[in-house]
Amino acid sequence: MTRVLVAVSGGIDSVVLLDRVIRNGMEVGVAHVHHGLRPESDEEYEFVRRLADKYDVPFHGKRLAFPNGGSQASYRTARYAFFEQVMQKFDYTQLMTAHHADDQLETVLIQLQRNVVEVTGIPERRPFAGGELVRPLLSEPKRELIAYAKRYGLEWREDASNATTEYLRNQVRHQIVPQLLASQPDLVQVVSETARHQRELWRTRYRQMENWIQDNVRLEMKAFHVKSDNLMCLNPVERYTVGRLLSMRYGVEVGTAIDRLLTSAQGSGHFDLEGSWGLRKQDGLLSLQATGQSLLAPHKQVVTTFPAHVVFGTSLFSLDVEDDTDGIPLEAIELPLIIRSVEAGDAMKLSIGTKKVARIFIDAKIPREKRPFVPLVVDATGRIIAIVGVRVSDFPDKSGAMCPRLMVKW
């Protein structure tokens, strides 16, 4: 039997979703996460709890707390971890969220802005917590949800933070989408349908490339081998898909390495990957290989006051605050600072976007065996603000104004 856990924020979208699911006679539970970021969060928590009582369905609530603050990504990760725990503990088979067609349009525009290869928007469903995550409103525009709420006299809460333009999605929602809709009123439906077709196309492409891999790649437990000529016969999108499939299989990103080695004029070469992995080109073959265990890195350190003199492995450096026109604006970071080694998936914010730390090491020609001993300076939000001796993160403040700034000296 299908047992549905509905994620309810208290906003109009999730309230409409909850009402619909209950009217359809499904067995339902309500999940709400209190992020603690706004004064209204307490009242919204109680509103959703009362709403569950009104419908006579179970309520599952959680209050998040990040002592030193957290990024949007950290809150999202914690939110979905809670949903997963509730699903498994209480035997729910589906998690439903209230993403709708307007969200789909915003997501596609963001993917285009970020030059994403797979511009497919938000999927209608995907595996989650032993069941699946379902978005039943994805083909319906916001205006239809508003009409539904008014028709049935539903009550909801407005999140004031949705009106700000601090985040990229809100900038797209309030500054770009209205201009597009003014010239093409049916754009929400058009993009929603186009995204659906693209998802079907990519599903087909992945199936085809899975078959290609079975026929052309020798797969081992911790290695694969494929002829360069066979890869060159694929078009760029097909090679990208093969790279994604192999990356998911081995847990390490290989797509860029495949492209670099294939286009190199050299008959042989090596591309360092994350952790202890490497991709080698030799004798007409591309081979992924585990090159050995990663070196034991120095222990993490915490810095709460300045000046601070840090010894990290064989590295010596200082952190100090000075009134200057150069350096990291102190107001842009949150204490305490953590000094640690690189971890899988680490990325640094740059003016052109984000770049993986592993890639920065490769570009800086830092030998693999030395990378665990290069200190990373990370603030309380998880942002990597400096790779000591290699790179400093880019911050929006480019005014050159005299203000307190963090100086990293080595």
Side-chain angles (χ1 to χ4, degrees):
M1 180 178 181
T2 301
R3 301 187 70 243
V4 179
L5 181 66
V6 182
V8 181
S9 66
I12 187 172
D13 310 330
S14 58
V15 169
V16 167
L17 173 61
L18 177 63
D19 187 79
R20 279 194 181 179
V21 173
I22 290 176
R23 286 176 186 272
N24 287 336
M26 306 184 79
E27 188 173 350
V28 175
V30 169
H32 175 79
V33 176
H34 182 312
H35 294 88
L37 297 175
R38 297 175 293 109
E40 301 83 5
S41 295
D42 287 336
E43 196 280 331
E44 290 166 354
Y45 185 94
E46 288 303 313
F47 168 74
V48 176
R49 186 186 59 77
R50 293 194 305 270
L51 191 63
D53 288 343
K54 173 185 173 182
Y55 285 117
D56 194 25
V57 298
F59 173 76
H60 309 279
K62 182 178 180 65
R63 297 170 185 257
L64 298 181
F66 289 86
N68 298 305
S71 64
Q72 280 190 304
S74 63
Y75 277 97
R76 184 184 186 281
T77 299
R79 184 166 65 248
Y80 277 87
F82 170 65
F83 295 155
E84 182 174 3
Q85 292 168 3
V86 172
M87 285 187 67
Q88 294 175 344
K89 182 176 181 179
F90 296 96
D91 297 322
Y92 290 103
T93 56
Q94 285 186 346
L95 171 67
M96 284 191 180
T97 64
H99 295 89
H100 48 78
D102 292 55
D103 295 323
Q104 185 72 279
L105 171 59
E106 294 163 9
T107 298
V108 168
L109 292 174
I110 290 170
Q111 289 177 339
L112 289 169
Q113 188 268 343
R114 291 174 173 168
N115 200 28
V116 173
V117 175
E118 298 180 50
V119 182
T120 56
I122 308 170
E124 295 96 340
R125 56 184 66 226
R126 65 176 176 85
F128 182 78
E132 61 178 349
L133 189 161
V134 183
R135 302 178 176 98
L137 305 181
L138 206 53
S139 63
E140 300 184 46
K142 178 88 170 193
R143 65 173 184 273
E144 293 183 6
L145 305 184
I146 295 173
Y148 179 99
K150 292 180 177 179
R151 183 163 67 251
Y152 288 100
L154 302 183
E155 183 184 357
W156 65 88
R157 295 293 183 266
E158 296 286 352
D159 184 346
S161 66
N162 288 335
T164 71
T165 55
E166 181 180 354
Y167 304 114
L168 175 59
R169 182 171 292 274
N170 284 358
Q171 293 170 13
V172 170
R173 178 176 300 165
H174 299 301
Q175 298 174 358
I176 299 175
V177 169
Q179 298 181 44
L180 294 174
L181 293 179
S183 60
Q184 189 172 349
D186 63 343
L187 186 63
V188 171
Q189 294 92 326
V190 170
V191 170
S192 181
E193 184 65 16
T194 300
R196 187 180 66 81
H197 284 307
Q198 282 296 309
R199 288 193 294 277
E200 293 174 356
L201 174 63
W202 276 98
R203 279 194 291 268
T204 299
R205 182 173 289 133
Y206 273 106
R207 286 195 297 268
Q208 292 172 340
M209 292 300 99
E210 283 173 350
N211 293 334
W212 187 92
I213 288 174
Q214 291 300 319
D215 294 338
N216 293 275
V217 183
R218 189 166 86 246
L219 301 169
E220 301 174 3
M221 183 67 70
K222 293 186 177 182
F224 70 72
H225 311 275
V226 56
K227 291 182 179 179
S228 303
D229 288 345
N230 290 353
L231 283 169
M232 290 299 292
C233 290
L234 300 175
N235 64 46
V237 174
E238 290 171 336
R239 279 201 301 275
Y240 163 85
T241 309
V242 167
R244 290 291 299 134
L245 288 167
L246 292 173
S247 297
M248 289 184 284
R249 182 184 184 95
Y250 290 94
V252 59
E253 175 57 45
V254 300
T256 300
I258 289 175
D259 286 341
R260 294 281 182 87
L261 291 177
L262 282 179
T263 56
S264 170
Q266 301 295 323
S268 61
H270 185 273
F271 197 102
D272 289 333
L273 303 172
E274 293 182 56
S276 58
W277 294 95
L279 191 69
R280 181 173 296 279
K281 174 184 176 183
Q282 191 169 11
D283 299 329
L285 283 179
L286 286 186
S287 300
L288 176 73
Q289 297 176 330
T291 57
Q293 297 297 316
S294 298
L295 294 173
L296 183 63
H299 293 297
K300 293 181 181 179
Q301 300 180 41
V302 179
V303 174
T304 57
T305 59
F306 306 108
H309 299 280
V310 181
V311 179
F312 189 84
T314 59
S315 297
L316 302 174
F317 66 98
S318 65
L319 298 170
D320 202 353
V321 174
E322 300 177 6
D323 286 329
D324 206 326
T325 56
D326 294 316
I328 302 169
L330 193 61
E331 66 176 14
I333 62 177
E334 293 190 27
L335 299 179
L337 300 182
I338 306 297
I339 315 301
R340 62 168 174 82
S341 295
V342 63
E343 297 176 356
D346 274 344
M348 174 176 275
K349 287 186 178 181
L350 304 174
S351 58
I352 57 173
T354 60
K355 190 172 186 178
K356 288 190 174 183
V357 173
R359 185 70 248 167
I360 294 174
F361 279 149
I362 292 169
D363 292 343
K365 296 181 169 45
I366 306 296
R368 185 191 303 106
E369 64 274 11
K370 293 184 179 180
R371 294 171 195 169
F373 296 90
V374 177
L376 272 59
V377 182
V378 185
D379 82 348
T381 68
R383 175 170 183 167
I384 298 171
I385 62 175
I387 305 172
V388 178
V390 180
R391 192 74 184 260
V392 174
S393 180
D394 292 328
F395 288 82
D397 178 11
K398 299 183 182 298
S399 63
M402 181 73 70
C403 66
R405 295 177 183 268
L406 179 68
M407 314 298 285
V408 184
K409 300 178 182 180
W410 62 93

